[in-house]
Amino acid sequence: MPPVFAPPSDVALPLHVIDQDKCKDWLQRQPDHVADWAQTNGFTGACGQMLLVPGPSGKPEMALAGYGTPAQRARRRFVLAGAAEKLPKGVYRIASGLDPQALDIECLGWLLSSYRFGRYHHQAEMNAALIAPEGVDSAGIESLAAAECLTRDLINTPSSDMGPDELQAAAETLAQQFGATISVTTDAALLEQNLPMIHAVGRASERRPRLIDMSWGTSGPKLTLVGKGVCFDTGGLNLKPGASMGLMKKDMGGAATVLGLARMIMAAGLPLQLRLLIPAVENSVSATAFRPGDVLTSRKGLTVEINNTDAEGRLVLADALALAAEGKPDLLISMATLTGAARVAVGPDLAPFFTDNDSDAAALASAANGSADPVWRLPFHTPYEARIEPGIADLDNAPAGGFAGSITAALFLRRFAGASRYIHFDIYGWNPTAAPAQPKGGAGQGARALFAALTKMLSL
Ligand code: BES
Ligand code: ZN
Ligand code: ZN
């Protein structure tokens, strides 16, 4: 069950959120027993501190949460979550200390703190429930939380239980929930429908390759989302070494993230025509695997020399993007765990994106700030086009040397997006170190920033 706010209650304990710089002043204004208790317990308002204050009967009469200084807050995404995770069992209401701009994000952080991946092992639940503060869009925040939890669950599920079949089932469940329609092209039908590179990448696996195509909404601008659904990436015949393969269950993180974004859009009932395309494959090894040196002809007709079977994401996305572009969307967005180079460039926390549209880039940058979803623009540097052009085919899927690997991968995709207004995200989809509201494991990236920017980008 996705996390939700607690229903209104008279017995909720008031929680005061205390800025470290204002802690002394605040305590001075309190009755002596409160100020003394805070002092005895060393409460200073530092980030993540939590203190229960007993009333005369010994029962807690309020809780205090440290909110730190602006400098401390700048180093974190969800501040209140750090204290909320330490609160004892009960229902709380925020009584003071958060301004309206911070309230939404801190509430989202609280809900996300209660996320657990409990499919294979019981995980203790979070103790503290929060009543939605007055004036916040509680349904909207719950929807953002549900979308993120969906994305996390899909990524966290190991490939043994999250192959192309299961990813399709997840898309079908979501479609059913929101009245979307879905069609799936599987295995040999991919060749009949001219989606040859999706077939080539996935054909070595017993878990057959497919393209999932979901549609929702009948009027308004056309938005098409494409997500990389590589349910496991062995690297193919260019097999990854063990250490690099360990996390490759998350190579469907782009698909998981666009499913989360689609959930936000549908739950909000945005007035647009949404299409979601997920090439779902396993990049596996067998006698039928595609090989280094092969030349594939794509849906678009461009030929691609395979110089590394581990650069498979751009191949499956290329056919999906070409199909997407044929539908003439007003905006086309792809999300993919596409390159190790993007991680080297910006690390696990930032989602790099590419666009030729300056106003979309500005809308995203400003939306990211208010969404606790940091993104950073990288360039579609056209002078590097020559690097993706090999000898005997139109395109090279893995330019030698690897310089600017995230950019050359993005340029490769742009060829297939054609004339579409196009944004591409090269995400990591994984949180390597736990932080409040951000457990180690699967993580949505870029979806909240995109959701918040859509109104502006599509003039909704
Ligand atoms: N799925 C990987 C990219 C990846 C690796 C994302 C590690 C996140 C963490 C992708 O299919 C891949 O292997 N890309 C290669 C491309 C190269 C062979 C041109 C890479 O980035 O090394
Ligand atoms: Zn790969
Ligand atoms: Zn991959």
Side-chain angles (χ1 to χ4, degrees):
M1 278 297 288
V4 290
F5 289 105
S9 148
D10 298 339
V11 298
L13 203 62
L15 173 69
H16 297 276
V17 182
I18 317 252
D19 203 292
Q20 189 162 1
D21 294 334
K22 298 177 190 151
C23 187
K24 274 207 179 110
D25 286 353
W26 190 86
L27 288 171
Q28 254 164 23
R29 296 197 302 274
Q30 302 306 306
D32 284 350
H33 75 277
V34 175
D36 290 347
W37 186 257
Q39 206 189 7
T40 307
N41 286 282
F43 184 84
T44 61
C47 268
Q49 272 192 337
M50 185 282 290
L51 184 68
L52 280 186
V53 182
S57 72
K59 278 196 185 157
E61 69 173 15
M62 66 170 77
L64 310 182
Y67 201 48
T69 62
Q72 284 177 350
R73 290 197 287 278
R75 297 171 59 142
R76 292 165 173 76
R77 244 195 256 186
F78 300 106
V79 182
L80 184 57
E85 288 172 0
K86 296 176 189 150
L87 286 167
K89 195 162 186 64
V91 179
Y92 298 83
R93 64 178 174 84
I94 296 171
S96 71
L98 283 180
D99 60 32
Q101 298 112 291
L103 204 50
D104 282 14
I105 288 300
E106 297 300 355
C107 286
L108 175 65
W110 190 306
L111 295 189
L112 289 178
S113 289
S114 68
Y115 174 79
R116 301 285 184 275
F117 184 60
R119 179 164 172 162
Y120 302 98
H121 176 70
H122 175 76
Q123 310 276 353
E125 281 176 16
M126 182 173 173
N127 289 315
L130 177 66
I131 293 176
E134 235 168 82
V136 306
D137 170 14
S138 57
I141 295 170
E142 287 176 350
S143 161
L144 295 181
E148 172 66 17
C149 294
L150 169 66
T151 299
R152 289 180 184 180
D153 276 346
L154 293 174
I155 298 176
N156 284 332
T157 304
S159 186
S160 45
D161 287 320
M162 189 47 66
D165 270 339
E166 290 87 356
L167 188 54
Q168 175 182 335
E172 285 167 346
T173 303
L174 186 69
Q176 213 169 29
Q177 232 176 321
F178 291 96
T181 56
I182 206 161
S183 71
V184 181
T185 308
T186 309
D187 205 2
L190 289 167
L191 296 174
E192 285 153 28
Q193 299 295 316
N194 192 23
L195 296 156
M197 296 209 296
I198 299 175
H199 184 268
V201 169
R203 73 187 183 207
S205 173
E206 283 182 7
R207 307 200 288 179
R208 302 312 290 164
R210 69 205 64 194
L211 178 71
I212 301 162
D213 187 345
M214 184 175 118
S215 295
W216 174 88
T218 48
S219 62
K222 286 183 173 180
L223 170 67
T224 300
L225 309 177
V226 180
K228 173 175 173 181
V230 174
C231 294
F232 195 76
D233 184 8
T234 67
L237 290 172
N238 291 112
L239 200 65
K240 283 182 185 291
S244 309
M245 207 191 295
L247 262 184
M248 281 301 125
K249 69 172 182 181
K250 77 172 176 70
D251 214 19
M252 34 58 74
T257 303
V258 291
L259 283 166
L261 176 54
R263 196 192 187 291
M264 293 174 201
I265 291 168
M266 296 189 294
L270 291 190
L272 52 79
Q273 301 179 70
L274 176 65
R275 186 180 191 190
L276 191 73
L277 292 171
I278 296 175
V281 304
E282 180 170 6
N283 186 20
S284 198
V285 181
S286 82
T288 62
F290 74 127
R291 314 160 194 83
D294 283 356
V295 173
L296 304 180
T297 301
S298 65
R299 175 180 188 85
K300 196 170 177 175
L302 291 169
T303 55
V304 181
E305 183 177 313
I306 304 304
N307 282 311
N308 195 321
T309 58
D310 196 10
E312 84 299 337
R314 66 197 74 185
L315 303 174
V316 298
L317 290 170
D319 277 353
L321 285 168
L323 175 67
E326 290 162 23
K328 301 217 176 321
D330 296 289
L331 181 60
L332 176 57
I333 300 172
S334 59
M335 287 257 174
T337 50
L338 201 62
T339 69
R343 272 36 286 164
V344 176
V346 299
D349 202 44
L350 261 182
F353 69 94
F354 299 80
T355 173
D356 284 320
N357 185 311
D358 291 346
S359 98
D360 286 348
L364 269 171
S366 91
N369 271 332
S371 311
D373 188 14
V375 301
W376 201 260
R377 188 183 188 181
L378 291 181
F380 272 130
H381 188 59
T382 303
Y384 288 165
E385 286 280 358
R387 294 175 184 246
I388 58 172
E389 291 160 352
I392 66 162
D394 296 321
L395 290 168
D396 178 346
N397 84 324
F403 277 173
S406 182
I407 298 177
T408 52
L411 290 173
F412 185 99
L413 296 181
R414 189 175 67 169
R415 293 282 187 106
F416 295 88
S420 312
R421 176 172 155 204
Y422 177 48
I423 303 172
H424 159 61
F425 274 83
D426 191 343
I427 59 172
Y428 193 51
W430 190 260
N431 199 7
T433 41
Q438 298 175 276
K440 183 176 169 180
Q445 289 190 292
R448 281 196 302 278
L450 275 167
F451 179 68
L454 276 181
T455 321
K456 180 125 193 265
M457 293 193 298
L458 292 174
S459 313
L460 298 176

